[in-house]
Amino acid sequence: MLSIRELRDRAVIRPIKRAVEDQLLDLPGVTGVDIGVKHRAGASTGQQVIVVSVIRKKPRELLVPGTCIPGDVFGIPTDVIEEQPVLQHIHCARNEPLTPRQRRSERTGVVRGGSGLTPCRAVYLAPPTVAEAGDYRRIGTLGAVVTGTAPTVVPMGLTTFDVGCLDDAWAVGDRMVDPEGGRVHAELARAALSGRVDAAAVTIAPGLETSCTVDGIGPVTGHTTAYPGELVRKNGFGTGLTPGVVVSVDATVRIDHGEALGVRVLREQIRVAAAELRFCGPGDAGAAVLDPSGRIIGLHVAGSRGGAVGFASPIADVLAELDVELCTESQQIRV
């Protein structure tokens, strides 16, 4: 957990970071702007600074004049790291069998957080995105069960815009399949790809039992705001149950959403660092990130290559933009 001094330092840096992040994002190769601890020769200095992420660090003498990241901004030092956030879904050839990428720890037949989700609609992809050109399905995670607020309480599942919508050709009613069972799982109901949220809600198919739990973690007890230093967990379809530590709630990242949607900027995202080998990987997009009390803090959207770092949209923003409410342990829904 951050000290009071570190929290105060971040509060001072935050408005400056917000004021200059667009100019920094416009520099060649920059992928993100955040607040964090400065490192020198691989060791932490303990100083809170503006952290600028780039695809690849280069010697200053090789950079075009005017494209260098300044050593400080309005007196706030900067630190430069190599990091490229990428969306975390799996692409599966249309005719390839849909098989689970991890072992489920609880019984099947019940829709719960941590299960897989894939649209029936395929997208055409070509190298270098995939090895061979063709039609592909996209697989991600149904992170948690929610309910619509009007006109009636309808059970839905949370995932990301990129998993639920694929591209700009999406429509309400697009069908979703359970990649582990192949049955129709849900239909796309709502979606949001904004400056702070990458999310979608899918209506659960009639007759399916739902559980207000996350597989391998337990009941969802509510939602809360993330804070740096907090221990968290997620269960994604790709890498399963993994622990992490919230290191920032100020991450602004540039993410390539493909040819149809282009590069989008997500602001004030939650940055989670792996507590063990890695926190996330392909197939985890849409996973709920929970604190030790079972409260959801965010919806996992993207991660660094290799999965050492994950990025999540704050859950309060997700719920507000989709106009849904979390299904908690006191509820059990069957339609």
Side-chain angles (χ1 to χ4, degrees), residues 27-285:
L27 295 176
V30 172
T31 60
V33 183
D34 201 354
I35 301 174
V37 178
K38 186 176 181 66
H39 287 75
R40 186 173 288 116
S44 170
T45 66
Q47 183 182 25
Q48 298 291 320
V49 298
I50 295 175
V51 179
V52 183
S53 304
V54 297
I55 297 174
R56 186 175 294 104
K57 295 174 70 171
K58 298 179 181 179
R60 185 173 292 269
E61 59 269 19
L62 297 181
L63 296 173
V64 176
T67 64
C68 295
I69 297 166
D72 70 89
V73 179
F74 296 115
I76 304 298
T78 62
D79 195 16
V80 181
I81 64 172
E82 287 189 355
E83 184 177 81
Q84 186 175 10
V86 292
L87 296 174
Q88 301 217 291
H89 43 248
I90 296 169
H91 282 126
C92 173
R94 187 181 184 92
N95 296 324
E96 180 182 342
L98 299 177
T99 57
R101 303 304 169 106
Q102 60 142 328
R103 239 184 122 81
R104 300 255 70 83
S105 65
E106 301 196 23
R107 68 187 178 94
T108 59
V110 178
V111 180
R112 68 178 85 243
S115 58
L117 188 72
T118 180
C120 293
R121 182 169 68 90
V123 290
Y124 180 82
L125 300 173
T129 303
V130 291
E132 297 181 6
D135 290 332
Y136 285 79
R137 282 181 169 173
R138 182 172 294 173
I139 307 174
T141 301
L142 187 152
V145 175
V146 295
T147 59
T149 57
T152 58
V153 175
V154 178
M156 299 179 179
L158 279 184
T159 191
T160 65
F161 182 97
D162 310 282
V163 172
C165 300
L166 297 174
D167 52 27
D168 59 352
W170 65 277
V172 170
D174 285 349
R175 295 193 304 163
M176 309 285 149
V177 170
D178 172 7
E180 295 183 276
R183 62 181 175 176
V184 175
H185 196 109
E187 291 184 352
L188 182 62
R190 307 172 187 183
L193 182 58
S194 65
R196 286 174 61 90
V197 168
D198 180 333
V202 297
T203 303
I204 306 300
L208 295 181
E209 183 182 353
T210 62
S211 174
C212 305
T213 61
V214 174
D215 189 23
I217 295 179
V220 173
T221 60
H223 66 90
T224 189
T225 302
Y227 61 87
E230 181 176 25
L231 297 176
V232 294
R233 292 182 294 171
K234 75 99 186 76
N235 193 349
F237 183 75
T239 62
L241 181 61
T242 56
V245 180
V246 174
V247 292
S248 175
V249 294
D250 296 285
T252 293
V253 290
R254 287 169 49 93
I255 303 176
D256 188 354
H257 290 256
E259 183 177 349
L261 299 171
V263 175
R264 300 294 184 98
V265 175
L266 279 173
R267 303 180 190 273
E268 297 173 21
Q269 301 295 285
I270 303 167
R271 176 190 291 268
V272 181
E276 296 177 356
L277 293 178
R278 65 174 180 171
F279 180 70
C280 55
D284 289 339

Side-chain angles (χ1 to χ4, degrees), residues 256-322:
D256 188 354
H257 290 256
E259 183 177 349
L261 299 171
V263 175
R264 300 294 184 98
V265 175
L266 279 173
R267 303 180 190 273
E268 297 173 21
Q269 301 295 285
I270 303 167
R271 176 190 291 268
V272 181
E276 296 177 356
L277 293 178
R278 65 174 180 171
F279 180 70
C280 55
D284 289 339
V289 182
L290 295 88
D291 72 4
S293 299
R295 297 175 298 182
I296 297 179
I297 64 160
L299 188 71
H300 178 72
V301 172
S304 61
R305 297 188 184 277
V309 174
F311 299 92
S313 294
I315 192 62
D317 295 332
V318 170
L319 299 176
E321 291 211 28
L322 295 180

